[in-house]
Amino acid sequence: MSDLPPALAPLAERIGAERLLVDDATLTLYGQDVSGDSHPLCAVVRPVDISDLVAAVRFAAEHDFVVAPRGGGMSYSGGYVCSHERTLCLDMAAMGEVLEVNAEDMYVRVQAGCTWKALHEALEPRGLRTPFWGTLSGLGATVGGSLSQNALFWGSGRHGCAADSVIGFEIVLADGRVLRTGAAARNGTPPFFRHYGPDLTGLFTCDNGALGIKATATLKLLRRSEARHGVSMTFADHGGMFAAMSEVSRQRLAESCFGFDPSLQAQRMKRESLARDIKALGQTVAAQNNLLDAVKTGTRIAVAGRRFLEEAQYSVHFMVEERTAAAAEDAVGRITRIGQEAGGKPVENTIPTVARAHPFGPLNSMIGPSGERWLPVHGLLPHSEAKAAYEAVSALFERNAAVLDEHGIVHGTLFTTADTNCFVIEPVFYWPDGLNALHRHSVEAAVLRRTNAFPDNPAARAEVMRLRREVVDTLASCGAVHLQIGRLYPYARDLGDAPLTTLRELKRQLDPEGRMNPGALGL
């Protein structure tokens, strides 16, 4: 305890000095996210169970600190980056256990710091999965962080976002009380069902920790589907691809779906990780249903290599998962016909096949293929508005072409869908700039050694931040809403008077002194 500031000694006595980190390197790392520089922290607190978490929150209330929960650190929207001078970062990663897998009642209960990869590995041998089962960054991204910020990807094509798969929480409130939501709010009832009275579970999804700190989460379970296939198609323009993606979404034919514009496709095809995955086919082959399928899959991918996608084309990739081979083949046929009717051309399904076999790879996509900085932004839209929104964003980039060229800024766009009713547009930026501590901590050391070490480039960074704000405003003008609100998206600004007043009143009731992640959600 001798290295701790005296102000933290009472907390060290409650949870142990080893649970408090105050060295400069740790405070720098935990005070930043993907988007920017570090903000000051007083300490990083690493609770291992709910009693530690309660102790930390009560200590903050008693000693005039604020708390900001951090999951895997994958935020790019300032989710846990708090500028308050007396901030304790609650590093939830030490609360990473799978607490209960109930295959009879079909739910799983985890500590909030459990990663999606760890949950997947616990469920896969049992033939189970959650409906939404993780993000691309699931090696580091946590269940609690994804439910606080909300997230999309694996399973979203049929099952929506992370928040749609949660049944209940244990929440530590600002005064240290523990609130249970869902069926578990009734004394003695297991957490098997979400909607018992008003939906308190929903209140704490997507709240960014501004209303309470997630200690545990309970998620629905599904039986794993054994028949898996991938469909890939290319399109000459975005209109045809959008039409195909939207129709597949409306018919719920794919578990997951993602598309690239030509620029982002070119960036992704440059990555060494794709070549490595294509060459290392062991897991891909093992994921097939039988030996013959395995040999066929391995041979096709090895022969196709990187030549299966044409330049200057849009591409979309669908993952099909069904109970039976016949059902999967039917879905593949339907998706293919939909794509062809929209002007698409079927190509080798390397990307969905490899991605499904390696769903939680290294976090190397946090930087560009040559070591550039990377930063995304996104909007969620109804299908009817997606094409116009993308064209508006494209026009913004065209107006700024000279600035982009001057600073070496490259942009591309990822597209995906959620359930039957949501189209997602995610522009991303790459530019030459120095990496921050989070990049160096998260990206594989071998990859960092092979990529460029760009010097700090504040001028280019400033332009990226300006353009990102303009993309947000452009998407907002098209009616977009957002996940991962954090401190980036103008959530409070754009709410109507009644919902904003209600939200502020809830915040005052649950956190009257403003100690729970102040500034998140614009509160």
Side-chain angles (χ1 to χ4, degrees):
M1 291 177 53
S2 59
D3 294 333
L4 291 175
L8 297 175
L11 180 57
E13 291 175 0
R14 297 185 194 183
I15 69 172
E18 71 279 5
R19 297 292 167 200
L20 300 177
L21 306 176
V22 295
D23 61 283
D24 289 343
T26 299
L27 297 184
T28 297
L29 172 63
Y30 282 78
Q32 63 191 200
D33 72 357
V34 175
S35 65
D37 299 326
S38 188
H39 287 61
L41 294 174
C42 292
V44 173
V45 183
R46 305 198 77 227
V48 297
D49 55 29
I50 196 167
S51 63
D52 280 356
L53 188 56
V54 167
V57 170
R58 285 179 173 166
F59 170 83
E62 294 164 1
H63 294 85
D64 195 29
F65 288 93
V66 304
V67 295
R70 180 185 187 273
M74 299 295 102
S75 171
Y76 63 81
S77 58
Y80 55 83
V81 177
C82 182
S83 59
H84 194 286
E85 63 182 9
R86 289 179 64 81
T87 299
L88 302 178
C89 174
L90 300 179
D91 175 22
M92 301 301 294
M95 291 181 62
E97 293 185 23
V98 177
L99 300 172
E100 179 187 5
V101 179
N102 190 320
E104 182 177 7
D105 296 328
M106 296 297 282
Y107 67 81
V108 57
R109 193 166 64 91
V110 302
Q111 289 183 312
C114 180
T115 66
W116 290 105
K117 183 176 188 291
L119 178 57
H120 174 72
E121 291 177 344
L123 296 177
E124 182 82 1
R126 304 172 189 238
L128 299 170
R129 50 163 274 207
T130 53
F132 170 87
W133 56 278
T135 65
L136 280 174
S137 57
L139 176 66
T142 64
V143 173
S146 296
L147 293 172
S148 288
Q149 290 253 68
N150 212 359
L152 292 167
F153 213 75
W154 301 124
S156 289
R158 277 186 169 165
H159 304 287
C161 60
D164 293 324
S165 290
V166 66
I167 298 172
F169 291 122
E170 287 181 292
I171 301 288
V172 177
L173 299 175
D175 59 5
R177 289 178 298 156
V178 177
L179 170 70
R180 293 177 177 84
T181 72
R186 181 185 184 278
N187 290 331
T189 299
F192 74 102
F193 192 67
R194 174 165 168 169
H195 298 285
Y196 181 55
D199 185 18
L200 294 181
T201 299
L203 180 63
F204 292 95
T205 60
C206 320
D207 74 326
N208 225 136
L211 302 180
I213 310 299
K214 294 164 187 63
T216 70
T218 304
L219 305 173
K220 303 173 187 176
L221 287 177
L222 300 175
R223 295 291 182 191
R224 185 184 65 202
S225 296
E226 298 297 334
R228 300 174 184 172
H229 290 279
V231 179
S232 292
M233 306 192 78
T234 58
F235 291 81
D237 58 59
H238 64 281
M241 187 178 76
F242 281 24
M245 291 176 67
S246 291
E247 186 57 27
V248 170
S249 170
R250 284 187 284 264
Q251 294 190 31
R252 301 188 82 201
L253 292 171
E255 283 286 321
S256 304
C257 146
F258 49 95
F260 307 126
D261 75 354
S263 178
L264 185 58
Q265 180 171 284
Q267 291 293 316
R268 295 191 67 86
M269 295 302 288
K270 292 177 185 176
R271 291 190 177 277
E272 180 272 341
S273 58
L274 178 60
R276 181 180 60 195
D277 284 347
I278 290 173
K279 291 176 182 176
L281 290 174
Q283 285 181 261
T284 304
V285 169
Q288 301 303 304
N289 299 323
N290 58 56
L291 181 59
L292 181 59
D293 285 346
V295 172
K296 289 179 179 178
T297 299
T299 301
R300 286 202 319 269
I301 292 177
V303 169
R306 297 183 181 219
R307 300 190 303 272
F308 57 94
L309 291 179
E310 301 175 23
E311 294 183 3
Q313 293 275 309
Y314 290 78
S315 71
V316 63
H317 311 277
F318 300 97
M319 294 182 177
V320 173
E321 301 191 17
E322 297 288 352
R323 293 284 181 215
T324 66
E329 290 169 5
D330 178 69
V332 167
R334 290 171 183 269
I335 291 170
T336 302
R337 287 192 295 274
I338 289 168
Q340 290 174 324
E341 289 169 2
K345 171 187 173 184
V347 294
E348 184 56 61
N349 62 358
T350 300
I351 287 180
T353 302
V354 171
R356 185 60 180 84
H358 304 263
F360 302 118
L363 303 173
N364 300 326
S365 293
M366 287 176 63
I367 62 174
S370 299
E372 304 91 343
R373 284 282 284 268
W374 163 87
L375 193 62
V377 63
H378 75 268
L380 281 62
L381 297 126
H383 294 293
S384 59
E385 300 297 330
K387 185 172 180 288
Y390 176 60
E391 290 169 355
V393 171
S394 298
L396 168 65
F397 288 138
E398 289 175 7
R399 293 194 299 272
N400 286 273
V403 170
L404 294 166
D405 185 62
E406 176 186 354
H407 293 284
I409 301 168
V410 176
H411 64 88
T413 308
L414 170 73
F415 313 99
T416 189
T417 59
D419 207 331
T420 62
N421 56 336
C422 180
F423 197 101
V424 184
I425 297 174
E426 182 175 279
V428 299
F429 298 92
Y430 298 94
W431 75 100
D433 198 354
L435 303 180
N436 66 20
L438 182 60
H439 296 117
R440 292 189 290 271
H441 175 78
S442 304
V443 175
E444 289 180 304
V447 171
L448 290 174
R449 286 194 296 269
R450 290 193 295 271
T451 56
N452 295 316
F454 293 106
D456 284 346
N457 191 347
R461 195 182 316 153
E463 290 297 335
V464 169
M465 297 304 174
R466 175 185 67 81
L467 286 166
R468 185 172 67 152
R469 289 192 297 272
E470 293 191 18
V471 170
V472 171
D473 289 340
T474 299
L475 290 170
S477 71
C478 298
V481 297
H482 307 280
L483 312 170
Q484 304 180 35
I485 294 166
R487 292 165 173 81
L488 169 64
Y489 297 103
Y491 175 66
R493 183 196 73 183
D494 292 345
L495 284 183
D497 289 341
L500 180 58
T501 300
T502 302
L503 182 65
R504 285 175 171 165
E505 289 173 351
L506 282 168
K507 174 72 170 174
R508 281 193 293 270
Q509 286 292 319
L510 294 170
D511 182 22
E513 296 180 335
R515 300 192 183 280
M516 310 298 272
N517 205 9
L521 305 183
L523 300 177

